């Protein structure tokens, strides 16, 4: 599907991406790479309907002869609708010859993350004038072991009700109040039937496989 966008804003984000601290091995760096602006050239060129019609004439003649004009293009994946719950799935495997190998590297992730640098400037459910889209961490899934066997454990935060999230989910209202601190609560480590209270520092040092954030702003 081809959509016509204002070229001045088509690749613009709610916040400046260049101001990010893009430390390699961090969630911010992963998101930046995933949403980077790409040039489509050579064998990756796109079919241009306008160029094709200019060169070959009306579409009906083009389709019958299967003649198309390809052109260079730009591609960027940005968030157009900020979700109430943000789930980040980290790729924990890589190809090693004909086999898959688990990636055990620690990926740094924050308690509060701002998605604004990864959201389109026309993000549908962000209040006009807002340049922050904040989320607070409330759950982490961790995997220990190899690609063939292992064990899943989880970290979960017991916290009070997030009124902003309720407004967003139940009433469709965008959060208005500015909060930059994570939702207060106690973290717990859960492994099968064993549950233990842990500090936030232990959670942030875990080898996350899945990250769960709830929207603050």
């Amino acid at each position: 599907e081809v959509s016509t966008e204002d070229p001045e804003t088509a690749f613009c984000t709610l916040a400046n991406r260049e101001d990010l601290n893009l430390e390699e091995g961090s969630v911010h760096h992963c998101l930046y790479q995933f949403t980077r602006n790409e040039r489509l050239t050579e064998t990756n060129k796109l079919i241009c309907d306008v160029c094709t019609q200019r060169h070959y004439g009306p579409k009906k003649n083009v389709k019958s002869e299967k003649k198309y004009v390809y052109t260079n293009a730009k591609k960027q994946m940005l968030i157009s609708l900020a979700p109430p719950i943000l789930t980040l799935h980290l790729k924990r495997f890589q190809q090693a010859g004909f086999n898959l190998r688990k990636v055990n590297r620690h990926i740094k992730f924050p308690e509060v993350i701002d998605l604004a640098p990864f959201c389109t400037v026309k993000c549908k459910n962000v209040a006009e004038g807002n340049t922050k889209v904040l989320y607070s961490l409330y759950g982490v899934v961790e995997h220990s072991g190899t690609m063939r066997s292992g064990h899943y454990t989880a970290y979960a935060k017991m916290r009070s009700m997030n009124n902003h999230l309720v407004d967003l989910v139940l009433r469709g209202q965008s959060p208005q109040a500015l909060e930059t601190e994570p939702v207060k609560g106690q973290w717990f480590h859960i492994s099968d039937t064993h549950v233990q209270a842990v500090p936030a520092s232990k959670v942030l040092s875990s080898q996350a496989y899945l990250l769960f954030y709830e929207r603050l702003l």
Side-chain angles (χ1 to χ4, degrees):
E1 180 181 349
V2 178
S3 59
T4 303
E5 292 284 348
D6 181 349
E8 296 297 324
T9 60
F11 297 93
C12 293
T13 51
L14 282 173
N16 189 356
R17 294 164 61 85
E18 306 310 317
D19 292 338
L20 290 170
N21 178 18
L22 296 177
E23 182 180 359
E24 189 173 352
S26 68
V27 163
H28 281 109
H29 184 260
C30 294
L31 287 170
Y32 185 88
Q33 290 293 98
F34 187 76
T35 60
R36 72 185 186 279
N37 195 317
E38 300 177 60
R39 292 283 298 173
L40 303 179
T41 61
E42 298 180 355
T43 57
N44 292 320
K45 288 182 179 180
L46 296 184
I47 294 174
C48 176
D49 289 336
V50 174
C51 302
T52 299
Q53 289 184 50
R54 286 175 180 170
H55 193 273
Y56 292 109
K59 278 188 176 181
K60 59 180 181 180
N61 297 330
V62 174
K63 287 186 178 180
S64 61
E65 299 178 21
K66 296 184 178 179
K67 293 180 179 179
Y68 303 101
V69 174
Y70 293 80
T71 185
N72 294 334
K74 288 196 298 183
K75 168 192 169 186
Q76 187 173 27
M77 297 179 67
L78 295 172
I79 298 168
S80 62
L81 185 69
I85 300 296
L86 172 68
T87 305
L88 298 178
H89 183 183
L90 304 181
K91 182 181 177 183
R92 281 292 180 186
F93 66 90
Q94 63 183 17
Q95 191 79 30
F98 293 102
N99 300 314
L100 292 177
R101 180 172 59 189
K102 184 184 175 186
V103 177
N104 290 310
R105 180 181 184 181
H106 174 67
I107 301 298
K108 293 183 179 179
F109 54 94
E111 280 196 84
V112 173
I113 189 168
D114 184 5
L115 277 194
F118 316 109
C119 291
T120 173
V121 72
K122 296 180 180 179
C123 197
K124 296 182 180 71
N125 58 346
V126 175
E128 187 175 354
N130 277 3
T131 57
K132 290 184 179 293
V133 183
L134 302 179
Y135 288 81
S136 178
L137 184 71
Y138 75 90
V140 178
V141 173
E142 184 178 37
H143 178 267
S144 59
T146 65
M147 291 292 295
R148 295 183 177 273
S149 65
H151 181 58
Y152 289 96
T153 58
Y155 294 92
K157 180 188 279 190
M158 187 174 72
R159 61 215 184 281
S160 57
M161 181 181 292
N162 181 343
N163 291 325
H164 298 320
L165 191 62
V166 172
D167 289 340
L168 185 62
V169 174
L170 299 183
R171 292 181 279 276
Q173 299 173 352
S174 297
Q176 298 294 332
L178 176 62
E179 293 188 30
T180 57
E181 298 296 325
V183 175
K184 294 180 180 179
Q186 174 63 55
W187 281 100
F188 290 90
H189 182 231
I190 304 146
S191 177
D192 293 334
T193 59
H194 182 70
V195 180
Q196 180 184 16
V198 294
S201 58
K202 182 171 178 60
V203 178
L204 296 176
S205 65
S206 64
Q207 291 195 46
Y209 177 58
L210 290 168
L211 297 169
F212 298 90
Y213 288 86
E214 58 186 338
R215 191 169 170 188
L216 292 177
L217 177 70

